[in-house]
Amino acid sequence: MEDKEKKWKGKAIYEPSGAAYEYCHWACNLYNGCTNKCDYCYNRHSMTAAVLGADKVSLKKALKDETTAFCIFCEELDEMKKRMKPTDSLFFSFVSDPMLPQTRNLTMKCVMEALRNGVNVQILTKCTDWTNKVEEFVRPLIPYAKLVAIGFTITGMDYMETFCMNNTAERIKAMGKLKEYGITTFASVEPVIGIEYAIIAVRKAYPVCDMFKVGLVSKMGIKFSEEDVRSLVSRINFAVHNTTPVYWKKSVRDVVGNEFCDAYANSVPSDFNLFGKGGRQ
């Protein structure tokens, strides 16, 4: 268990705790709020929903403006590099979607700075339109393909994501496009709300996805039986041919146990090194 007293926290970059730490050991949050307004969003159901779960996007007050924000990011990146392990990566982001039209320019400026400094970067988004702007957003990443992994949330619950710019099918298509450029892809199958929806989404994403991260829904009063979750684990592994790495989050393991999840050879730990996997055929 991580020592919370030793957690480092800056204005943009910080060491997450709890479930977020399980996902990534370093994170960058530049904005609050998100126009995706997904019905299941953790931030919209939390005690901080008025700020973190707001429907409008705003730069974090501590960052003042985007020019100042970038300067703060660069200073904190230097500090993070002194503290992080070689296998660590920097995650964008736990609060807002980092690739919304309102957030992507500053996000990419910070991402490129991290990559130029040799820092592994993970980006998780539901937006895909930026992948069509190859010269502006994709091509700059190509020289650093071994250091970057881009993920898309694919719960399969499109009817709970009605404000999102792009649906599940469009996200999977974007993953395929990024892989053509040699960029590693991953899918965040979280939260699992409908098991059948999740399995179908995984099956469709399998050909273009280098890793799956799977977690159960929280904050909505939905409970799954052990039988349900065992079925989820078994069927997802079957859908990925027991070959593509799958990280089963604590929410899954708490229900069925570590032994059941780890019985599959493609089950990987939270610190699995997914970087440089973009060339997988």
Side-chain angles (χ1 to χ4, degrees):
M1 182 178 297
E2 72 274 15
D3 187 345
K4 294 183 179 179
E5 294 182 359
K6 294 183 179 179
K7 292 293 185 185
W8 186 83
K9 185 176 181 180
K11 295 178 180 179
I13 299 173
Y14 67 104
E15 288 184 272
S17 299
Y21 183 83
E22 179 190 13
Y23 206 94
C24 197
H25 294 178
W26 292 91
C28 177
N29 290 339
L30 300 168
Y31 295 88
N32 290 323
C34 181
T35 58
N36 289 336
K37 298 189 284 187
C38 300
D39 294 344
Y40 55 73
C41 178
Y42 181 89
N43 291 319
R44 289 169 63 83
H45 292 273
S46 70
M47 294 177 63
T48 57
V51 177
L52 302 187
D55 295 344
K56 293 183 178 180
V57 176
S58 61
L59 187 72
K60 291 174 64 176
K61 288 184 178 180
L63 300 179
K64 297 183 179 180
D65 55 67
E66 292 193 354
T67 300
T68 304
F70 181 66
C71 292
I72 291 172
F73 174 84
C74 292
E75 293 173 0
E76 294 180 355
L77 182 69
D78 288 339
E79 184 62 32
M80 183 195 76
K81 286 177 61 182
K82 300 174 186 176
R83 299 168 180 268
M84 69 188 305
K85 299 175 184 177
T87 55
D88 283 347
S89 58
L90 181 59
F91 179 84
F92 293 80
S93 96
F94 283 116
V95 179
S96 186
D97 189 319
M99 299 306 288
L100 291 168
Q102 303 95 316
T103 63
R104 64 182 60 151
N105 289 333
L106 179 58
T107 293
M108 284 300 298
K109 191 174 181 179
C110 292
V111 165
M112 294 308 301
E113 182 67 17
L115 294 176
R116 283 191 289 268
N117 276 270
V119 174
N120 293 331
V121 169
Q122 294 187 55
I123 301 171
L124 179 62
T125 181
K126 291 178 182 172
C127 299
T128 71
D129 63 305
W130 61 273
T131 65
N132 296 321
K133 301 176 181 180
V134 176
E135 295 301 321
E136 185 176 1
F137 293 109
V138 180
R139 200 167 298 283
L141 297 172
I142 296 174
Y144 304 97
K146 291 185 178 180
L147 297 178
V148 64
I150 298 178
F152 293 88
T153 300
I154 56 162
T155 64
M157 307 297 290
D158 287 355
Y159 73 91
M160 300 184 80
E161 304 170 350
T162 54
F163 290 93
C164 290
M165 297 171 61
N166 310 105
N167 60 26
T168 298
E170 291 169 323
R171 294 171 211 163
I172 293 172
K173 183 178 179 180
M175 291 172 71
K177 185 182 302 183
L178 291 171
K179 278 193 66 63
E180 290 178 1
Y181 288 101
I183 295 173
T184 296
T185 60
F186 69 94
S188 177
V189 189
E190 185 182 24
V192 172
I193 298 174
I195 288 178
E196 294 298 328
Y197 288 100
I199 292 169
I200 291 171
V202 168
R203 188 181 300 126
K204 290 180 178 179
Y206 162 72
V208 293
C209 186
D210 293 303
M211 180 185 180
F212 292 91
K213 302 183 181 186
V214 185
L216 303 180
V217 66
S218 63
K219 297 288 186 181
M220 292 183 65
I222 298 173
K223 300 291 184 182
F224 295 107
S225 68
E226 181 177 347
E227 182 181 0
D228 288 336
V229 182
R230 280 177 173 265
S231 175
L232 172 74
V233 172
S234 299
R235 293 174 65 191
I236 283 183
N237 275 300
F238 181 79
V240 302
H241 299 204
N242 295 325
T243 55
T244 304
V246 180
Y247 169 53
W248 302 103
K249 291 197 68 178
K250 186 175 182 294
S251 58
V252 175
R253 291 173 176 271
D254 283 348
V255 178
V256 299
N258 292 331
E259 186 176 351
F260 184 80
C261 292
D262 295 335
Y264 296 90
N266 59 316
S267 175
V268 297
S270 62
D271 60 353
F272 172 74
N273 183 11
L274 61 87
F275 297 93
K277 306 293 183 183
R280 180 182 70 80
Q281 299 299 316

